Amino acid sequence: MFVNVEKIDKPSLKGMAILKLDSVKVLIDPDSDSYLEYNSIQVFANHWRFIEKSKDLLKPKVIEFIKSYIFINNIDPNEIESINFDDYNEWCEITIYTSKDDYTVKLDKELIDFNLIDEMKDYTLEELGIK
């Protein structure tokens, strides 16, 4: 489970915590493999606090784009099982999984905030604020 965190005594220092059963790793710089490891969740909690994710995972124009894409392609919203986002170097892909087919569309990478959207998670329309 990944959670956005910030240092209690230095709120400008942010990271992503990976919570395990008895330990926590905090990835400070996503461009490197360096991280801090805590063998005690209590010790981790003494130094870091969770940053709540914004309720708006997608920008309004992306929500409108997805709604339009669903409408134009005659996709029944009730048949949509999930939506997944993949981050590539210069673009991202949105895949809409339905009970019948899968639909994939490429977007400018800057339109999706991958600090909020988890590539490993499949989202429902409700979670994304689309339905």
Side-chain angles (χ1 to χ4, degrees):
M1 175 178 181
F2 295 93
V3 180
N4 290 325
V5 294
E6 67 183 4
K7 194 107 163 87
I8 291 174
D9 61 345
K10 294 181 185 175
S12 62
L13 184 59
K14 299 189 182 335
M16 181 161 292
I18 304 166
L19 306 174
K20 299 192 176 186
L21 289 177
D22 57 353
S23 66
V24 179
K25 289 184 179 181
V26 179
L27 181 63
I28 304 295
D29 181 6
D31 294 330
S32 74
D33 289 334
S34 64
Y35 59 87
L36 300 171
E37 186 166 6
Y38 295 89
N39 292 328
S40 164
I41 293 176
Q42 181 61 48
V43 173
F44 161 78
N46 290 338
H47 297 279
W48 296 87
R49 70 175 147 240
F50 298 119
I51 303 172
E52 283 191 41
K53 288 186 179 181
S54 168
K55 299 294 182 200
D56 299 327
L57 295 175
L58 297 175
K59 296 174 183 175
K61 60 184 165 186
V62 176
I63 291 174
E64 285 304 314
F65 172 79
I66 293 173
K67 284 181 180 179
S68 299
Y69 185 86
I70 290 169
F71 177 76
I72 290 170
N73 288 287
N74 294 321
I75 302 170
D76 182 354
N78 296 322
E79 292 181 356
I80 295 176
E81 296 172 347
S82 65
I83 297 179
N84 181 273
F85 300 85
D86 290 308
D87 183 8
Y88 295 100
N89 287 335
E90 298 187 16
W91 77 89
C92 67
E93 283 185 354
I94 298 174
T95 304
I96 300 172
Y97 298 100
T98 70
S99 55
K100 297 178 182 176
D101 292 312
D102 298 342
Y103 302 86
T104 302
V105 62
K106 291 182 183 179
L107 285 179
D108 184 345
K109 181 179 177 177
E110 303 302 317
L111 291 173
I112 305 296
D113 184 351
F114 282 98
N115 291 319
L116 298 175
I117 294 291
D118 184 355
E119 281 187 90
M120 306 306 282
K121 182 175 179 355
D122 289 336
Y123 294 92
T124 63
L125 292 177
E126 291 83 6
E127 288 175 304
L128 297 171
I130 295 173
K131 190 173 185 182

